[in-house]
Amino acid sequence: MSTDVREALQRVRGEVAKAVVGQERAVDGLLVALLAGGHALLEGIPGVGKTLLVRTLSETLSLDTKRVQFTPDLMPGDITGSLVYDAAAGEFEFREGPVFTNILLADEINRTPPKTQSALLEAMEERQVSADGVTRALPSPFLVAATMNPIEYEGTYTLPEAQLDRFLLKLVLELPSRDAEFEVLRRHAAGFSPRDLRAAGVRSALTAEELRRAQAEAAAVDVRADVLAYIVDIARATRQSPSVRMGVSPRGATALMSASKAFAYLSGYQAVTPDHVQAMSLPVLRHRLQLRPEAELEGVGADAILRSILAQVQVPI
């Protein structure tokens, strides 16, 4: 592991902490998504700092970032781009949409209809956009960080299972502790403005070249055969749970392996351990479980099911 890249990743954590208080797990989750080349879905009630977290992380990276506010009237072309007639040239030209960026902040993604949500599927999976018979590659790296409000149902649309499966992680932002909330108020009382991150002292801490090097090093982290078997056993256990209608697919198991490698790298390890797999199991798998109606009526959630599975599956020594 390169010492300079490792130090740069630690600097990113420090820079984000200048604006975001008490969301260390979510910061690590976004860094894992970046290192693994995946995407992240951030869920939390309004006011816990979902958008601020993504904006601050973007500020610490030397990458192009665009934000799209998802609304019911948003069209697919508003995201991917569309053909526009150029009267001077007498022909149509493709005008790139905001998806042509390194980090796309998809704010309140569940407020737009499935037709528009699905416009992101090709971009998220294939890293490209097809329009008028032409395929256009997206910049690299490419990360979709989408936010979602879990308590409002008026004017919202459920994300299709295929869309959810494209997100490497689903990060749940909880309410802060008393001390963290006190620190938030103290900073605001001292003049902190979430609209001016530069004034808060947030600076770039990781270059695009360092990020590419970190991604390559994270991909090279070793995974022993018994740890791979452990991941397979966890995935298979979700399919056998009486509370689950549809468990984790092989793609979900692969996602858990990739996230575990990235988390091991972020933690300074050369190989994945069962602890890394356990730490990543909830954020990687929680949105990939389809629960039975009776489980939902009883208030049994995906996190509780996954914790029960982790307690039962034999851990390699």
Side-chain angles (χ1 to χ4, degrees):
M1 180 186 296
S2 301
T3 304
D4 57 339
V5 175
R6 172 73 176 159
E7 292 175 350
L9 288 169
Q10 294 302 321
R11 287 200 302 272
V12 168
R13 285 169 159 168
E15 291 298 320
V16 173
K18 293 178 180 179
V20 181
V21 180
Q23 297 293 355
E24 290 80 6
R25 288 185 180 180
V27 174
D28 285 350
L30 285 173
L31 288 174
V32 165
L34 268 173
L35 290 171
H39 309 286
L41 179 63
L42 284 72
E43 183 181 271
I45 64 172
V48 293
K50 301 184 296 297
T51 303
L52 176 63
L53 172 58
V54 178
R55 286 181 53 242
T56 307
L57 180 65
S58 301
E59 193 73 22
T60 68
L61 306 173
S62 302
L63 299 173
D64 183 50
T65 304
K66 290 186 174 68
R67 176 182 179 273
V68 177
Q69 180 66 50
F70 280 67
T71 56
D73 60 347
L74 196 71
M75 299 298 291
D78 296 330
I79 302 172
T80 59
S82 56
L83 291 172
V84 177
Y85 184 71
D86 186 345
E91 60 183 18
F92 286 92
E93 65 174 4
F94 182 76
R95 184 169 297 171
E96 295 181 349
V99 76
F100 286 86
T101 186
N102 294 120
I103 298 180
L104 177 67
L105 171 54
D107 225 347
E108 295 187 294
I109 191 173
N110 57 331
R111 286 199 174 278
T112 199
K115 176 182 178 181
T116 304
Q117 291 174 10
S118 63
L120 281 173
L121 285 176
E122 182 186 17
M124 294 173 70
E125 185 66 20
E126 306 296 336
R127 304 298 201 275
Q128 64 184 28
V129 168
S130 298
D132 194 35
V134 178
T135 299
R136 297 170 174 85
L138 294 174
S140 179
F142 174 66
L143 166 74
V144 174
T147 69
M148 186 169 70
N149 180 351
I151 61 171
E152 286 190 26
Y153 297 99
E154 186 72 26
T156 64
Y157 302 84
T158 303
L159 267 67
E161 298 299 333
Q163 181 90 43
L164 284 171
D165 200 41
R166 296 310 192 277
F167 287 101
L168 177 69
L169 306 170
K170 180 181 177 182
L171 306 172
V172 178
L173 276 69
E174 306 286 355
L175 286 168
S177 66
R178 184 183 186 278
D179 289 344
E181 192 166 2
F182 174 84
E183 177 62 18
V184 170
L185 266 64
R186 188 196 67 78
R187 292 186 182 188
H188 279 267
F192 169 75
S193 171
R195 290 177 292 276
D196 191 357
L197 296 176
R198 286 285 172 176
V202 178
R203 299 292 183 267
S204 176
L206 188 71
T207 66
E209 179 58 35
E210 287 174 326
L211 177 58
R212 283 190 286 268
R213 198 185 322 159
Q215 288 176 327
E217 292 180 359
V221 169
D222 185 53
V223 190
R224 300 193 317 265
D226 58 343
V227 176
L228 288 176
Y230 182 50
I231 293 173
V232 170
D233 290 342
I234 292 173
R236 293 179 67 83
T238 65
R239 303 167 201 160
Q240 298 165 1
S241 171
S243 300
V244 177
R245 179 166 59 89
M246 184 176 296
V248 176
S249 68
R251 175 164 37 195
T254 302
L256 180 54
M257 180 195 69
S258 299
S260 299
K261 291 173 69 172
F263 186 60
Y265 174 80
L266 189 63
S267 304
Y269 285 75
Q270 300 290 341
V272 176
T273 69
D275 288 341
H276 299 134
V277 176
Q278 292 171 3
M280 288 291 100
S281 289
L282 265 65
V284 172
L285 303 181
R286 59 167 52 114
H287 57 296
R288 291 182 162 91
L289 298 185
Q290 294 185 33
L291 307 186
R292 294 187 182 277
E294 52 269 30
E296 294 179 342
L297 288 173
E298 293 172 1
V300 178
D303 284 12
I305 294 171
L306 288 169
R307 289 191 182 98
S308 175
I309 288 172
L310 291 173
Q312 295 172 20
V313 175
Q314 185 174 357
V315 181
I317 299 175

